[in-house]
Amino acid sequence: MGGCLSGDLKGGKEAVGVGGIAAITYHANAVTTTTGGGAPNDAVDYFYKSQGLQPLFTQIELSLSASNLRDLDIISKSDPMAVVYEKNRNGTLREIGRTEVILNNLNPSWIGKILIAFQFETVQPLIFHIYDVDTEFYNLPVKKLNLKNQDFLGEASCFLSEIVTKQNQTLTITLKDKNGREGRNLGTLTIHAEETMASNSVAGISFRCSKLANKDIFSLSDPFLRISRIVESGGSVPICKTEVINNNLNPVWRPLTLTMQQFGSKENPLVIECFDFNSNGNHKLIGKLQKSVAELEKLHKEKRGANFILPRRGREKVLKGHLFVDQFVEKKQYSFLDYISSGFELNFMVAVDFTASNGSPRSPNSLHYIDPSGQLNSYQQAIMEVGEVIQFYDTDKHFPSWGFGARAFDMPTSHCFNLNGTTNDFEVRGIEGIMEAYASTLHNVTLHGPTLFGQVINKASQIASQSLISDSNKYFVLLIITDGVLTDLQETKDALVKASDLPLSILIVGVGNADFTQMEILDADDGRPLESSTGRVAARDIVQFVPMREVQSGRLSAIEALLEELPGQFLNYMRSKDRKPLGVVD
């Protein structure tokens, strides 16, 4: 659901809830994908609606907290993460989301939300597993954590309807062990449900504080803010936290963006708490206050601060520490579909790996083997399955298509040649055109090597760059189909960093059973941006890697896997360039 807020100091000091990684909920005949801010993934929604699959559901956001969890760590407390599953009719479990990991805490209130489509006519059993994440995995994003390597703390189960029909839409369940027994005290899990609201209003806010109380003895406090929304029951649900500022009683935090889904309405009260970060999880409260978004806007306009208070023996002590709002910008944040429906175009390009590591096309064991019976090989399957999705979104269905890593006759190895065999036209018509050009190429080239991505990425970058000259409303997606054995890792990084400032995303589809570690490095889902050989850092993440073996085994939905990150990458580019949907006037 979000970045990994883990027990190492670096992970524990990161901001949470001020920007999210897409998380997917998938339902047969009713599909929706959501980001950390609660906005639907329009790319998936739009695709399924076009297929006549109308979503008959209400989008629900689940907030999770736990109490009195087991402590499995020796010199610290457990670092809990919650994983939520929906139980299928055949008894199998399908994961629908994970929270962040919280540092050293037996009573966690997770900020990351779980989004699920509530289907009125369907019984939806939910299973909740709580894990203590091991220290050696702190630097991994939560979606990549292998749960078999984590310590199991307990589980709970209920029906989604139990939560949404409960008074205050809050349900507390006693945790059980793996065998479903309540024998030992494993703690409790509390689930709060709220219906999400469709709104594109966001508030960009920059906070700073002055004259905070010092809670440390040998140094200064390490403050961070946690913001919670008050719900109808009178309780509060955390919605985000800032990063930690080390040794500073007058901290200035990076700007954060709050969505309408997070704060509810401008008049809804928010609780803003300032804590001194401690690595043992016992963060000390420096002070707190309650303000609505409207009141925060007023503080900004009047250029004044608000005093923190500290509860003391039933009374509230007014502190010298102040909270200031240095920046407040209310604006509309447009969706992927807003851009596409206004006339922005997606243009797909394809590059196919013809290196010798795929095996000789004459061998039945080759990934490029053309079966006389008509059974598709791994590349053909990838082209067809990926093509079903990308052809839908491409406006003119003319695909620039290249091959790399092969040589024709006595020519030197080419790392970017036109797939259709011509020298002056690199476009083919439709997925059928790609399939025909691919099969023809296998008869006319010799698989060779090495495997170099750099030239095809640079070619795609050149096309994307040229589109900016005419101020066109195009966004490009380069699809690379490969067996995953890469030779020019650093050159590829250089090309990707250079391309990260262009209207371009790169989707790498891995075929076969090779080691795809290099592809995962390029994907940069571990939160560390790519860096070029000159030290330049990528402006944004533009790569997504999808292993076809997981799609074909049923572990991943092709639609979900292919479109998971594209809307976010598209929107990051548009927002970074301050581009709005066509026809929108400031």
Side-chain angles (χ1 to χ4, degrees), residues 253-449:
W253 288 281
R254 291 195 295 266
L256 57 86
T257 298
L258 294 179
T259 67
M260 180 73 79
Q261 174 60 37
Q262 288 176 294
F263 59 76
S265 74
K266 291 187 69 173
E267 287 68 39
N268 196 55
L270 302 177
V271 177
I272 303 176
E273 300 165 294
C274 185
F275 290 94
D276 173 29
F277 177 90
N278 284 306
S279 59
N280 63 7
N282 295 323
H283 310 311
K284 296 178 183 177
L285 180 66
I286 297 176
K288 63 188 293 187
L289 54 83
Q290 184 172 305
K291 295 288 181 185
S292 66
V293 171
E295 289 171 324
L296 292 175
E297 182 179 21
K298 186 176 180 181
L299 287 180
H300 170 67
K301 289 180 178 178
E302 297 177 355
K303 300 185 183 305
R304 62 182 179 87
N307 289 87
F308 283 107
I309 62 170
L310 194 64
R312 284 276 180 88
R313 299 171 186 171
R315 304 177 63 183
E316 294 181 341
K317 178 181 178 181
V318 179
L319 305 176
K320 293 181 180 179
H322 281 77
L323 175 75
F324 293 88
V325 180
D326 280 352
Q327 182 183 32
F328 185 97
V329 179
E330 189 174 7
K331 57 185 178 182
K332 288 186 176 181
Q333 199 165 68
Y334 298 99
S335 71
F336 176 78
L337 190 53
D338 288 334
Y339 287 92
I340 298 302
S341 61
S342 75
F344 274 85
E345 299 178 4
L346 290 182
N347 290 88
F348 284 85
M349 303 175 278
V350 179
V352 179
D353 182 344
F354 287 95
T355 56
S357 57
N358 288 281
S360 170
R362 297 181 181 85
S363 169
N365 295 322
S366 171
L367 295 173
H368 280 308
Y369 178 68
I370 302 292
D371 194 322
S373 69
Q375 182 175 345
L376 302 181
N377 67 28
S378 297
Y379 278 85
Q380 290 172 315
Q381 289 178 40
I383 291 170
M384 291 299 292
E385 293 192 40
V386 174
E388 178 190 5
V389 179
I390 66 174
Q391 184 167 245
F392 173 79
Y393 279 101
D394 193 282
T395 308
D396 63 7
K397 295 180 175 53
H398 283 84
F399 301 127
S401 301
W402 305 286
F404 59 93
R407 63 184 183 186
F409 305 108
D410 295 328
M411 301 295 290
T413 300
S414 174
H415 301 292
C416 184
F417 57 87
N418 296 341
L419 196 62
N420 60 14
T422 67
T423 57
N424 57 357
D425 183 13
F426 47 66
E427 287 190 341
V428 299
R429 171 69 178 171
I431 299 305
E432 298 80 6
I434 299 177
M435 291 287 280
E436 291 173 5
Y438 164 75
S440 176
T441 298
L442 285 175
H443 294 296
N444 295 311
V445 301
T446 300
L447 305 195
H448 208 252

Side-chain angles (χ1 to χ4, degrees), residues 5-6 8-16 18 103 212 216 220-226 241-254 273-279 283-284 286:
L5 173 57
S6 57
D8 65 338
L9 293 185
K10 180 179 180 298
K13 293 184 176 183
E14 292 175 350
V16 176
V18 297
L103 167 76
L212 293 178
D216 292 343
L220 301 180
S221 294
D222 306 315
F224 69 91
L225 298 178
R226 184 177 71 183
K241 73 179 259 311
T242 67
E243 76 279 9
V244 174
I245 304 293
N246 292 329
N247 295 313
N248 200 320
L249 302 182
N250 301 284
V252 179
W253 288 281
R254 291 195 295 266
E273 300 165 294
C274 185
F275 290 94
D276 173 29
F277 177 90
N278 284 306
S279 59
H283 310 311
K284 296 178 183 177
I286 297 176

Side-chain angles (χ1 to χ4, degrees), residues 456-469:
V456 291
I457 293 174
N458 287 333
K459 182 67 174 178
S461 297
Q462 179 184 355
I463 294 173
S465 181
Q466 288 173 344
S467 75
L468 297 177
I469 299 175

Side-chain angles (χ1 to χ4, degrees), residues 386 390 477-480 505-509 544-546 562:
V386 174
I390 66 174
V477 181
L478 171 62
L479 169 66
I480 299 177
S505 286
I506 297 174
L507 173 60
I508 302 174
V509 173
Q544 181 183 358
F545 169 65
V546 177
L562 295 169

Side-chain angles (χ1 to χ4, degrees), residues 85-88 93 122-127 157-160:
Y85 302 88
E86 185 169 8
K87 193 172 185 178
N88 297 319
L93 300 182
T122 304
V123 175
Q124 294 174 266
L126 300 180
I127 308 294
S157 62
C158 67
F159 294 103
L160 181 56

